[in-house]
Amino acid sequence: MSDEIEQTIRKYALQNAVFFKGTANPKAVVGKILGSCPELRSKAGEITPLINQIVEEVNKMGLEAQTKALEEMDSSLLVKEKKERKYELPDLKNVNGKVVMRIAPGPSGPLHIGHTRVSILNDEYVKRYGGDLVLRFEDTNPEKIDPDAYDMIPEDLDWLGVKCNKQYIQSDRFEMYYDYTRKLLEMGHAYVCTCNGDDWRALKEKKQKCPCHDLPVETQLDRYDKFLAGDYADGEAVVVVKTDIAHPNPAVRDFVALRLVRTPHPRTGEKYIAYPMMNLSVAIDDHEMGMTHVIRGKDHLNNTFRQEYIFDYFGWKKPEYYHYGLVNIPDTVLKTSIIKQSIRDGEYTGWDDVRTGTVRAMKRRGIRPEAIRRYWVESGIKSVDIEFSWQNLYGMNRDVIDTDANRFFYVQDPVKFDIDGIDKIEGEAPKHPDHPERGSRVYSISAPRTVYLSDADYKMFQDEKQIRLKDLCNLEFGTPAKYNGNDVSILKKGVRAVQWVAADGLDATLLMPDGSVLKGLVEPDIAKETNDMVQLERIGFARIEKKDAKSVSMIFAHR
Ligand code: GLU
């Protein structure tokens, strides 16, 4: 066996040992070598005993010597390769040149994490193919509108990096919906129904038409004029689009297209009382705006079937429809009406309250749009239902923020004490372990050598009598505590290293996702931070919301 092969084996054995606390696994080393050097595969039988032998030698060296040896042989192997899986959305069907797609939220409030899926998927495709991404406000239910949402939604999309280049508001388009409805009535594809709603639904269940269904076109148009003129009370009449009254799917049998609502609309006031139901306005707009592809949740499947009738009646070309599976988003509050009520009650601080799942709350907590985007691209557009995983989103966010987030010590519910037995204690810790070029936090503590530990760590110190203040020194318990050198090897004897803050620490608050506020102290260097994300060692990532020379308010993001 050549020296070269032996060297290769040694290199990978050392690497495996360094990655796994000093002990290489011979099987993993065999796999790695045969994977990296295909030319050795035919010799697998011969080299396996050699690998076993070298692994055995390497395992006797100890981690420090292994690291040094590997550094000398090939220092690039000291860094773990990141397994980068590349996720791509599948191509869309029937793309001829550019696409026209849309995001069509109802302006009942700002966007929440659930809405970000459709926003990002559409944005990804328009960026891939070129074309238009339309933002369409579907505000045809005057009872479910928050006037601020017309501004908040574009702000949320902007933050998400979703670029809509056209914007429409459905309440600007009532006359057009009325005109198309008149055409449907003229063609005999719709009727004005004055039946009691329950009776009408009961008949549909039995695949039976109501008495209004087949009235002559003139009667329908006559009723329609009265309908628009306000001669009927709310609920007394509706315009219905005919489908197939015997359709095997009851949801698809005849659907309501226009109804009367006398609640004033925040934008149009009392000018219009006939409000289109989504299937009418969506179908007309998707045609009028030239949608080539529509991506929507599976919950809209029956709506797609209904809307296709309108396309067929007018002979319009249908967009390609995609229905992604439902997502269950656990452990957060998404419902706009509930959040709104809680804000009114003073229970929530606003739309960005961290207990909610709004895009604003994500932004405030330091969840980056890149992570949200990656989450939905990786989820794809398959029709299978999924459970949203906050842990996965946090993992993706960690990948985005970790490099820029400098490290700081934070102690919760601080307990103060003094250290005796030395004049001045000095130490330093890197701002970021992977980025020594950013410098360090430098500590110099002189009399009365006061430090703070978290309440929990102080209790542990009291019980265990020994502790190490990370990157500073070892202590023995007492009042005052006694300086006990700075030998890190004390950790091998089971002494624990804890975070600490000196007397110059800043008052810190940490707002948690459940709305509770933790209080503590944080290292003073945090006041100079220019990035808003930091990692509080042993606690997790946090976003700095406010700070001055004396205090810092932070929001917990995730571990
Ligand atoms: N306003 C509807 C929604 O947000 C539109 C969905 C659609 O037509 O795809 O659910």
Side-chain angles (χ1 to χ4, degrees):
M1 200 76 52
S2 74
D3 273 2
E4 202 185 319
I5 296 179
E6 233 188 277
Q7 287 284 80
T8 308
I9 296 174
R10 192 168 301 277
K11 226 165 56 173
Y12 287 117
L14 285 168
Q15 187 193 37
N16 195 258
V18 169
F19 287 171
F20 296 93
K21 299 185 182 142
T23 311
N25 168 355
K27 284 207 184 99
V29 178
V30 173
K32 178 83 190 178
I33 290 169
L34 299 184
S36 318
C37 317
E39 69 281 4
L40 293 180
R41 280 183 205 154
S42 59
K43 298 190 185 138
E46 272 171 80
I47 62 166
T48 307
L50 182 62
I51 292 177
N52 288 337
Q53 183 201 323
I54 295 179
V55 165
E56 210 172 295
E57 285 166 29
V58 162
N59 283 349
K60 285 190 193 134
M61 292 167 68
L63 185 55
E64 209 169 307
Q66 289 161 346
T67 313
K68 239 175 133 197
L70 181 59
E71 199 169 1
E72 276 161 25
M73 286 180 88
D74 186 346
S75 60
S76 72
L77 293 183
L78 283 169
V79 190
K80 263 192 200 168
E81 288 168 38
K82 268 208 182 146
K83 280 200 196 118
E84 290 224 358
R85 273 170 80 191
K86 209 165 152 31
Y87 287 87
E88 260 193 22
L89 291 169
D91 277 328
L92 292 176
K93 285 177 281 181
N94 295 325
V95 176
N96 299 311
K98 300 191 165 174
V99 293
V100 183
M101 302 180 72
R102 63 3 178 236
I103 300 164
S108 56
L111 300 184
H112 62 60
I113 186 81
H115 298 117
T116 63
R117 183 178 196 184
V118 81
S119 311
I120 283 165
L121 290 176
N122 279 290
D123 185 61
E124 282 287 319
Y125 281 119
V126 174
K127 282 179 178 151
R128 178 180 303 179
Y129 295 111
D132 292 331
L133 182 56
V134 171
L135 168 59
R136 186 170 73 210
F137 289 104
E138 306 216 319
D139 60 345
T140 58
N141 181 354
E143 275 146 13
K144 278 203 178 150
I145 297 172
D146 181 333
D148 294 339
Y150 296 98
D151 293 326
M152 291 194 284
I153 291 172
E155 284 166 15
D156 291 345
L157 291 171
D158 204 44
W159 179 78
L160 282 167
V162 170
K163 297 257 174 304
C164 296
N165 60 326
K166 290 194 173 155
Q167 187 173 304
Y168 296 94
I169 304 182
Q170 287 192 323
S171 58
D172 288 340
R173 304 162 67 80
F174 283 100
E175 304 287 353
M176 184 188 61
Y177 305 132
Y178 298 161
D179 290 349
Y180 276 118
T181 305
R182 186 177 297 280
K183 284 186 191 142
L184 286 171
L185 289 162
E186 284 167 356
M187 291 189 287
H189 295 313
Y191 54 100
V192 181
C193 180
T194 55
C195 299
N196 167 289
D198 290 338
D199 296 347
W200 176 74
R201 272 182 291 274
L203 286 169
K204 274 210 310 174
E205 277 298 310
K206 294 186 276 181
K207 306 185 178 176
Q208 284 172 17
K209 297 172 182 175
C210 79
C212 306
H213 187 284
D214 285 338
L215 291 174
V217 167
E218 301 78 66
T219 315
Q220 304 291 6
L221 291 174
D222 199 39
R223 284 180 167 195
Y224 187 49
D225 288 336
K226 294 209 297 208
F227 181 88
L228 292 181
D231 291 354
Y232 295 105
D234 291 5
E236 208 183 347
V238 288
V239 180
V240 177
V241 170
K242 297 179 186 173
T243 61
D244 172 1
I245 202 69
H247 197 287
N249 176 353
V252 181
R253 294 173 202 159
D254 294 13
F255 61 87
V256 177
L258 278 176
R259 62 177 183 145
L260 296 168
V261 184
R262 265 136 174 127
T263 306
H265 189 286
R267 290 186 73 250
T268 55
E270 286 163 25
K271 185 163 175 204
Y272 302 102
I273 53 163
Y275 283 91
M277 301 295 281
M278 73 160 290
N279 287 306
L280 180 77
S281 44
V282 164
I284 292 172
D285 279 346
D286 282 348
H287 163 70
E288 280 284 320
M289 296 170 192
M291 292 306 149
T292 60
H293 297 77
V294 167
I295 297 177
R296 47 164 60 144
K298 213 162 75 179
D299 48 330
H300 281 296
L301 200 57
N302 284 337
N303 290 326
T304 300
F305 297 145
R306 294 173 183 135
Q307 290 162 28
E308 283 179 319
Y309 276 92
I310 298 182
F311 276 83
D312 287 338
Y313 291 150
F314 286 113
W316 296 335
K317 185 175 178 329
K318 287 171 217 164
E320 292 287 345
Y321 291 101
Y322 288 86
H323 301 89
Y324 57 74
L326 308 182
V327 204
N328 178 42
I329 304 180
D331 308 324
T332 190
V333 187
L334 297 176
K335 231 176 161 333
T336 311
S337 52
I338 295 180
I339 302 175
K340 204 168 172 170
Q341 191 54 47
S342 301
I343 296 173
R344 262 196 227 121
D345 295 346
E347 152 90 5
Y348 287 167
T349 51
W351 288 109
D352 62 358
D353 192 295
V354 294
R355 286 165 285 185
T356 73
T358 62
V359 164
R360 281 150 201 261
M362 300 298 119
K363 176 180 175 188
R364 194 160 165 234
R365 289 173 52 189
I367 310 294
R368 299 295 200 221
E370 299 89 322
I372 299 176
R373 183 171 291 261
R374 187 177 139 202
Y375 191 96
W376 291 128
V377 168
E378 290 191 8
S379 303
I381 51 168
K382 293 206 187 81
S383 60
V384 28
D385 296 347
I386 54 173
E387 175 88 5
F388 184 81
S389 160
W390 288 103
Q391 289 317 317
N392 290 356
L393 177 67
Y394 295 158
M396 293 175 190
N397 201 53
R398 210 173 291 128
D399 288 348
V400 178
I401 61 175
D402 180 56
T403 307
D404 292 333
N406 283 333
R407 277 36 173 176
F408 291 96
F409 292 163
Y410 160 86
V411 295
Q412 190 185 320
D413 302 326
V415 179
K416 178 179 173 180
F417 62 94
D418 293 337
I419 301 169
D420 207 2
I422 188 174
D423 250 7
K424 195 175 191 185
I425 324 174
E426 296 189 316
E428 66 180 283
K431 285 196 175 155
H432 193 297
D434 303 335
H435 293 279
E437 76 284 358
R438 283 192 214 152
S440 26
R441 301 109 79 185
V442 177
Y443 310 120
S444 173
I445 299 171
S446 29
R449 296 168 299 271
T450 302
V451 293
Y452 293 84
L453 291 188
S454 75
D455 184 44
D457 285 343
Y458 188 78
K459 285 197 180 103
M460 179 176 79
F461 184 24
Q462 230 166 356
D463 288 348
E464 300 184 0
K465 305 293 174 218
Q466 302 249 21
I467 209 158
R468 173 166 175 77
L469 303 187
K470 194 165 180 266
D471 303 312
L472 189 71
C473 68
N474 305 328
L475 298 179
E476 250 168 56
F477 188 75
T479 318
K482 197 166 165 6
Y483 178 80
N484 187 24
N486 188 18
D487 184 357
V488 197
S489 71
I490 196 167
L491 299 178
K492 286 205 189 118
K493 296 179 199 142
V495 171
R496 284 188 264 194
V498 296
Q499 286 65 27
W500 55 276
V501 172
D504 58 358
L506 307 186
D507 287 328
T509 56
L510 189 59
L511 172 60
M512 301 304 285
D514 65 1
S516 61
V517 180
L518 306 181
K519 288 197 161 78
L521 287 173
V522 68
E523 289 184 57
D525 275 11
I526 204 169
K528 293 182 239 146
E529 262 310 290
T530 45
N531 181 21
D532 65 338
M533 291 308 290
V534 293
Q535 191 190 71
L536 303 175
E537 289 193 22
R538 218 164 117 220
I539 306 276
F541 290 94
R543 200 182 134 255
I544 302 174
E545 183 159 58
K546 252 196 324 219
K547 64 178 158 105
D548 55 38
K550 281 201 178 123
S551 64
V552 189
S553 328
M554 292 176 283
I555 301 171
F556 184 80
H558 47 75
R559 288 198 64 86

